[in-house]
Amino acid sequence: MIIDLTEIQDIHFFFRLEFFKEIYEILWVFVPILIFIVGITISVLAIVWLEREISAGIQQRIGPEYTGPFGVLQALADGTKLLFKENLIPSRGDIRLFSFGPAISVISIILSYSVIPFGYNFVLSDLNIGVFLWIAISSIAPIGLLMSGYGSNNKYSFLGGLRAAAQSISYEIPLTLCVLSISLLSNSLSTVDIVDAQSKYGFWGWNLWRQPMGFLVFLISSLAECERLPFDLPEAEEELIAGYQTEYSGIKFGLFYVASYLNLLVSSLFVTVLYLGGSNISIPYIFVSNFFEINKTYGVFVTIIGIFITLVKTFLFIFVSITTRWTLPRLRIDQLLNLGWKFLLPISLGNLLLTTSSQLFSL
Amino acid sequence: MFLMVTEFINYSEQIIRAARYIGQGLMITLSHANRLPVTIQYPYEKIISSERFRGRIHFEFDKCIACEVCVRVCPIDLPIVDWKLETDIRKKRLLNYSIDFGICIFCGNCIEYCPTNCLSMTEEYELSTYDRHELNYNLIALGRLPVSVIDDYTIRTIQIK
Amino acid sequence: MNISTIRKDFMIVNMGPHHPSMHGVLRLIVTLDGEDVIDCEPILGYLHRGMEKIAENRTIIQYLPYVTRWDYLATMFTEAITVNGPEQLGNIQVPKRASYIRVIMLELSRIASHLLWLGPFMADIGAQTPFFYIFREREFIYDLFEAATGMRMMHNFFRIGGVATDLPYGWVDKCSDFCDYFLTSIAEYQKLITRNPIFLERVEGVGVVDVKEVINWGLSGPMLRASGIQWDLRKVDNYECYEEFHWEVQWQKEGDSLARYLVRIGEMVESIKIIQQALEGLPGGPYENLEIRCFDREKEPEWNEFEYRFISKKSSPSFELPKQELYVRIEAPKGELGIFIIGDQNGFPWRWKIHPPGFINLQILPQLVKRMKLADIMTILGSIDIIMGEVDR
């Protein structure tokens, strides 16, 4: 009996251990996600601050100054204010669509962060469809915008939503074709493999040198995907007041705001990953040998260096897109579609053709 | 075939030109990042207003001869001049004088045409109050001298040019 | 508007008086077919203050502070026309120095007005940054105005027969410094804007008005000159002392928004030329013709009546308008600014009709935006350059 009891106890113990382990594993899944989300949020705040400071510098103003050192906490203060603001709902709008719109656009953008390798093999999930997950998911965001535009019961919002849909559909195609050429070059769709394929010759191994046209097309169409200024027609202030955001207030407006900057960040990250060799150390001859020794000793250190390099490259592109925003005027909708279908699409197709044939010859 | 080639060359030249002019614009905007801001942080910094600045009106009771020219040139006949005719000296004695700065547009007509220079304009321009009736200045309030911006040591003053 | 009632799939959008790009309180009822504009109906009157009726019971000197509220961006021009009317009606001579000071002020005001056209026009197209740059330069002009007149916008500086006060000490040097500085910043604007491909895409061939139309609609100012007609009242009428300066009428022949942009940029440079010449040749002498303050009517009015004149540093204004009628015009930055006055041998004008350039130029808007895209409404409206203060008066 006694033996039985201990056996049962043992079984119970092991069972409970297993149970705890499962819970522990489930919890452990959430930890990296949480870390990612916190990191992403902080970088969005950084981008908002950068945008304000850079635009202030360009326009000979001062910009945020009083919240924190150099006003770094301004975005946080704005976000807190938006949290406490009244949540207005248009009385004759479709309340469900109105409420789901911002959530859908934010969630779909955050999901695409899961395939971005920030450092060497430092990625949330190394899927073998990698980049296409981003392309597939980023097409969901305009549905959110369309929903909110339709649910607002406002003609300006509706027009803004329609414009967002038209714009993202027409710029998705050149974007996809560029990504296709990249994946042909690296024989994989996985982002990790794409970064690895660029790591061979340091600075000169970047896809930027093998795909200069593709890089330009990707840059332009990713700007259009983010709805940044030369292409910010869905929220063109002078035409549609604020487009699909017109009726929003409080944290729902804040979600749209966050979504646009998240989109900017994810696009810049993808430019870095696809064309600038991601987390690879860019200068091949001087540092590499030194770094290899460190490589063996401190694994964490290398990861941090990788993240740092990725972010430096990313913020370079964010800087470029912010300065273009404050320099260029806005395109008209037909010119925007012309640019997408008559200029970027043929060029990216030609680029794809060239890439494919060169890959064929090299076989 | 040649036509297509030349067309293609023209097209690419056009694109290169477009890129160059966009780059030129970017250089202009970026060069501004190197310049100092031109803004003035208002409550902490203030411009020293020019000598002719038309601020709140100052009134000297003793000089006024109650001629009412200020009323006559005012677009809305705003100054209220309360006087009594003293028949023994055949002169008007001023009893009360008030201007409502909630209505005044600071056009300066009254100052320009006042025969005895009893009206003048000060550099005071921060007139906001919580109650609009406080803006109705009587002769005592009108006679008050404003505090100069230069004397306020908490404020950085900025001279233009 | 009839079409919209027949077909149901058109969208009628009310670009109401509060729309961010409606330059004040203009309201457009736009019928849209997707992005295409089918019809457009402007509705005015949200800023109507009865300026013409107010003029009928004010003396000129009382009315002068009001006029800067017509076109509040080209303030000197409204004052100029308000004093030019009675001057020409009463045949009053203006001293040379006053005339030169007036020209300098008018041209500075023209630059300020064109600058505040350029910024919002670029903002309408989508470039926000030029808005800040033009404000930087405009502030310098307004500092000059403040130093000379005491106010930045509502100057109240012109008087019948001259100007209110002489220029302060050092103002001339300050102004010529500004002229040198402004030429460099104009070059900067042109580098930033003129050949930007996106800007050209947006404005080239948008809102074309041809020579015939521009005359038939009675348009004036840069609208007229951009369509290939060299008509500038400063050359045509020779008012003030414009014939003493060397400058050219700016004109283009395309008639689109780009041509209007180029005309305005060119006019700013020409204005700088005029100012520099005027500053160099600024004559001495009186700044106001005080003789005209005396008025011809029966002597010895009753003491303390309205007409009674007290002896003062400046005699109180009692100028009367002769019993005549006259149309006076002036080349304002937006076009031909005119007034039609009828005097009645009285201090008050009997009728004071304002011919505002913005109002006349605005009427072509519905025709221009038809069959254009929604975004072109802003480009065209911006290139017309209206100020609702003078459109509604």
Side-chain angles (χ1 to χ4, degrees):
Chain A
M1 250 342 256
I2 295 159
I3 299 160
D4 277 359
L5 204 100
T6 50
E7 267 180 0
I8 290 165
Q9 271 180 339
D10 277 357
I11 291 164
H12 268 289
F13 179 73
F14 275 113
F15 183 74
R16 275 169 68 190
L17 205 72
E18 280 294 301
F19 184 67
F20 272 124
K21 217 175 163 187
E22 259 174 38
I23 286 178
Y24 182 71
E25 270 174 1
I26 289 169
L27 281 179
W28 186 242
V29 167
F30 282 105
V31 170
I33 294 175
L34 262 180
I35 291 171
F36 260 65
I37 286 184
V38 167
I40 289 163
T41 318
I42 288 170
S43 49
V44 162
L45 294 182
I47 296 170
V48 173
W49 177 77
L50 263 180
E51 169 117 77
R52 299 182 69 160
E53 281 290 340
I54 291 171
S55 68
I58 282 174
Q59 294 163 353
Q60 286 190 282
R61 295 184 282 114
I62 292 175
E65 193 183 21
Y66 295 108
T67 39
F70 301 105
V72 271
L73 298 178
Q74 185 64 49
L76 202 65
D78 289 348
T80 324
K81 183 202 77 174
L82 284 176
L83 265 177
F84 289 115
K85 275 186 89 169
E86 191 191 353
N87 185 18
L88 295 170
I89 292 170
S91 63
R92 291 164 73 190
D94 191 324
I95 294 166
R96 267 177 306 169
L97 290 185
F98 186 79
S99 316
F100 278 131
I104 284 176
S105 53
V106 168
I107 288 169
S108 64
I109 292 162
I110 284 183
L111 272 182
S112 53
Y113 278 89
S114 58
V115 293
I116 293 172
F118 284 93
Y120 180 69
N121 280 345
F122 187 72
V123 57
L124 213 54
S125 61
D126 180 14
L127 300 172
N128 57 355
I129 53 163
V131 198
F132 270 21
L133 180 83
W134 170 52
I135 287 174
I137 279 176
S138 69
S139 317
I140 298 175
I143 296 176
L145 304 187
L146 201 57
M147 278 166 74
S148 54
Y150 182 75
S152 298
N153 188 29
N154 181 323
K155 285 166 183 173
Y156 292 114
S157 305
F158 187 51
L159 275 174
L162 288 180
R163 277 184 177 190
Q167 182 173 334
S168 69
I169 285 168
S170 49
Y171 278 82
E172 207 92 290
I173 296 162
L175 208 67
T176 317
L177 291 177
C178 288
V179 170
L180 262 182
S181 340
I182 291 288
S183 66
L184 272 174
L185 280 180
S186 45
N187 295 321
S188 171
L189 277 172
S190 156
T191 43
V192 176
D193 290 348
I194 289 172
V195 172
D196 280 347
Q198 299 177 58
S199 64
K200 278 170 204 154
Y201 309 104
F203 188 63
W204 297 106
W206 291 358
N207 280 335
L208 169 65
W209 310 116
R210 293 196 276 178
Q211 295 265 318
M213 295 301 270
F215 172 69
L216 285 177
V217 171
F218 189 88
L219 203 64
I220 294 172
S221 41
S222 68
L223 262 185
E225 279 285 296
C226 304
E227 287 148 16
R228 297 284 298 179
L229 196 98
F231 312 105
D232 75 334
L233 286 119
E235 45 202 289
E237 188 198 327
E238 282 76 22
E239 295 146 34
L240 302 180
I241 302 180
Y244 50 83
Q245 307 172 354
T246 310
E247 293 287 338
Y248 282 90
S249 73
I251 195 60
K252 283 179 190 164
F253 172 79
L255 278 181
F256 272 130
Y257 199 73
V258 165
S260 73
Y261 282 103
L262 278 175
N263 214 344
L264 178 66
L265 183 63
V266 81
S267 299
S268 305
L269 276 169
F270 266 104
V271 170
T272 317
V273 165
L274 296 181
Y275 289 95
L276 293 192
S279 60
N280 289 319
I281 299 142
S282 328
I283 303 144
Y285 309 109
I286 311 158
F287 286 109
V288 169
S289 55
N290 298 339
F291 267 105
F292 268 123
E293 280 164 38
I294 301 163
N295 217 345
K296 284 158 195 159
T297 42
Y298 314 103
V300 185
F301 185 69
V302 165
T303 316
I304 288 170
I305 287 278
I307 292 171
F308 178 72
I309 286 167
T310 319
L311 286 183
V312 164
K313 290 171 183 173
T314 310
F315 273 82
L316 182 75
F317 279 102
I318 287 170
F319 176 76
V320 167
S321 63
I322 289 172
T323 37
T324 35
R325 176 177 180 180
W326 296 106
T327 308
L328 294 182
R330 183 185 301 121
L331 283 168
R332 207 166 55 200
I333 185 78
D334 57 327
Q335 290 160 356
L336 177 95
L337 297 181
N338 272 351
L339 185 74
W341 291 101
K342 291 187 186 167
F343 180 74
L344 295 182
L345 184 61
I347 281 187
S348 53
L349 267 175
N351 189 42
L352 181 64
L353 189 72
L354 279 176
T355 319
T356 326
S357 39
S358 71
Q359 286 296 98
L360 266 179
F361 283 125
S362 67
L363 275 177
Chain B
M1 189 63 201
F2 276 118
L3 203 79
M4 238 179 86
V5 170
T6 46
E7 221 170 74
F8 183 75
I9 288 170
N10 278 343
Y11 191 56
S12 46
E13 266 180 2
Q14 215 177 318
I15 292 164
I16 289 166
R17 217 176 303 137
R20 213 180 77 211
Y21 289 131
I22 287 180
Q24 209 179 41
L26 276 172
M27 288 313 293
I28 291 284
T29 44
L30 282 178
S31 78
H32 277 84
N34 210 11
R35 305 184 195 177
L36 288 173
V38 289
T39 46
I40 288 161
Q41 302 306 98
Y42 165 61
Y44 312 108
E45 299 174 358
K46 280 177 190 173
I47 293 176
I48 300 173
S49 38
S50 64
E51 286 160 38
R52 293 185 181 175
F53 183 76
R54 302 212 296 258
R56 196 256 296 161
I57 293 168
H58 179 259
F59 172 71
E60 280 174 78
F61 183 81
D62 300 338
K63 279 191 191 172
C64 185
I65 55 169
C67 65
E68 291 194 7
V69 158
C70 47
V71 184
R72 220 167 298 156
V73 293
C74 180
I76 43 169
D77 304 346
L78 181 65
I80 292 159
V81 190
D82 184 14
W83 50 266
K84 205 175 120 204
L85 184 65
E86 302 285 346
T87 36
D88 47 339
I89 52 171
R90 207 173 170 271
K91 263 186 183 166
K92 292 192 283 191
R93 194 158 62 84
L94 185 66
L95 302 175
N96 250 314
Y97 190 92
S98 70
I99 296 175
D100 189 349
F101 287 113
I103 307 172
C104 177
I105 58 168
F106 304 95
C107 67
N109 271 353
C110 46
I111 282 81
E112 188 174 336
Y113 292 100
C114 177
T116 58
N117 282 345
C118 70
L119 287 168
S120 58
M121 291 200 121
T122 62
E123 58 187 81
E124 187 183 335
Y125 53 86
E126 290 154 323
L127 293 168
S128 37
T129 55
Y130 284 101
D131 180 11
R132 70 193 165 95
H133 299 294
E134 285 172 32
L135 288 171
N136 196 349
Y137 281 40
N138 65 355
L139 56 97
I140 297 159
L142 280 171
R144 228 172 267 146
L145 281 172
V147 182
S148 175
V149 196
I150 306 165
D151 299 338
D152 192 344
Y153 59 88
T154 58
I155 293 165
R156 240 180 89 203
T157 48
I158 286 164
Q159 177 103 47
I160 289 171
K161 272 191 179 176
Chain C
M1 291 308 287
N2 294 326
I3 319 162
S4 55
T5 49
I6 302 162
R7 272 184 62 180
K8 285 274 165 61
D9 53 343
F10 288 146
M11 187 193 258
I12 297 173
V13 177
N14 177 32
M15 290 203 161
H18 293 234
H19 193 278
S21 71
M22 273 306 139
H23 294 260
V25 286
L26 176 62
R27 180 175 169 212
L28 296 178
I29 296 178
V30 185
T31 313
L32 291 178
D33 177 14
E35 286 275 342
D36 295 318
V37 180
I38 300 293
D39 201 0
C40 164
E41 190 188 348
I43 293 173
L44 313 173
Y46 291 94
L47 201 57
H48 179 66
R49 293 153 296 178
M51 279 295 183
E52 292 176 1
K53 197 70 194 167
I54 288 172
E56 286 171 19
N57 42 37
R58 297 281 187 284
T59 58
I60 303 298
I61 203 73
Q62 275 181 310
Y63 190 53
L64 263 172
Y66 279 93
V67 299
T68 41
R69 274 84 174 169
W70 301 350
D71 183 350
Y72 41 80
L73 301 181
T75 41
M76 284 294 180
F77 289 90
T78 55
E79 287 184 9
I81 195 69
T82 312
V83 298
N84 278 3
E87 272 168 13
Q88 290 180 23
L89 203 65
N91 197 20
I92 291 158
Q93 302 302 310
V94 181
K96 201 89 217 166
R97 184 177 174 85
S99 187
Y100 266 69
I101 292 173
R102 277 185 186 182
V103 165
I104 293 167
M105 290 298 176
L106 287 178
E107 294 308 317
L108 279 177
S109 191
R110 185 186 308 276
I111 293 171
S113 170
H114 280 336
L115 280 179
L116 204 57
W117 163 81
L118 179 65
F121 177 63
M122 290 310 290
D124 282 351
I125 292 175
Q128 302 287 339
T129 304
F131 202 91
F132 291 86
Y133 295 169
I134 62 111
F135 260 98
R136 184 186 59 198
E137 266 74 65
R138 189 168 162 270
E139 280 303 302
F140 286 127
I141 297 178
Y142 278 6
D143 288 336
L144 287 173
F145 282 161
E146 189 188 327
T149 70
M151 277 258 181
R152 301 174 85 80
M153 284 179 92
M154 309 305 175
H155 317 293
N156 191 17
F157 186 60
F158 286 33
R159 294 284 180 273
I160 295 170
V163 290
T165 45
D166 207 350
L167 298 175
Y169 174 76
W171 195 88
V172 173
D173 297 333
K174 234 185 198 177
C175 190
S176 62
D177 281 353
F178 167 76
C179 290
D180 296 337
Y181 163 75
F182 187 67
L183 287 175
T184 62
S185 54
I186 279 269
E188 216 163 58
Y189 298 153
Q190 284 193 304
K191 241 182 177 178
L192 177 61
I193 301 164
T194 309
R195 289 199 283 196
N196 187 312
I198 298 178
F199 172 74
L200 290 179
E201 281 281 305
R202 285 299 302 277
V203 295
E204 236 175 352
V206 170
V208 182
V209 197
D210 61 30
V211 185
K212 232 179 183 174
E213 266 181 341
V214 83
I215 292 172
N216 287 346
W217 283 91
L219 308 185
S220 55
M223 287 285 281
L224 184 73
R225 287 191 287 277
S227 298
I229 297 170
Q230 288 171 275
W231 176 270
D232 193 314
L233 291 178
R234 289 174 287 176
K235 281 272 192 225
V236 176
D237 280 6
N238 274 330
Y239 59 91
E240 299 298 354
C241 48
Y242 278 109
E243 72 273 14
E244 294 174 22
F245 308 120
H246 302 290
W247 58 282
E248 271 124 49
V249 176
Q250 292 295 313
W251 65 289
Q252 300 282 327
K253 51 183 184 299
E254 287 82 12
D256 55 358
S257 301
L258 177 65
R260 275 165 237 154
Y261 162 81
L262 290 174
V263 164
R264 289 196 172 98
I265 288 280
E267 272 185 17
M268 286 200 259
V269 179
E270 291 300 314
S271 295
I272 287 288
K273 267 199 219 162
I274 296 174
I275 295 169
Q276 279 173 337
Q277 289 171 45
L279 286 174
E280 230 167 77
L282 190 67
Y287 59 86
E288 192 175 1
N289 183 1
L290 284 168
E291 293 296 309
I292 58 98
R293 283 173 184 265
C294 312
F295 58 121
D296 46 289
R297 58 183 296 120
E298 72 274 24
K299 305 291 170 286
E300 291 297 315
E302 203 181 327
W303 185 77
N304 202 33
E305 280 301 310
F306 187 81
E307 285 84 7
Y308 187 81
R309 278 172 47 221
F310 293 89
I311 295 156
S312 59
K313 53 167 186 176
K314 272 184 173 180
S315 52
S316 53
S318 47
F319 170 77
E320 338 196 288
L321 297 160
K323 207 175 172 77
Q324 279 167 14
E325 52 185 72
L326 184 66
Y327 175 71
V328 194
R329 59 187 182 174
I330 193 175
E331 180 71 33
K334 273 129 195 135
E336 177 185 322
L337 173 67
I339 51 164
F340 175 68
I341 40 175
I342 301 178
D344 197 22
Q345 204 62 42
N346 191 335
F348 307 147
W350 190 83
R351 176 83 172 99
W352 185 282
K353 172 85 183 76
I354 306 162
H355 173 285
F359 181 61
I360 311 291
N361 288 348
L362 182 62
Q363 57 180 336
I364 200 174
L365 179 76
Q367 194 204 318
L368 287 185
V369 299
K370 249 170 231 173
R371 280 180 295 284
M372 301 301 269
K373 294 274 182 286
L374 176 67
D376 287 332
I377 297 179
M378 279 74 217
T379 317
I380 294 168
L381 187 71
S383 72
I384 289 175
D385 191 13
I386 51 152
I387 292 297
M388 289 317 281
E390 72 171 356
V391 173
D392 292 339
R393 307 190 291 292

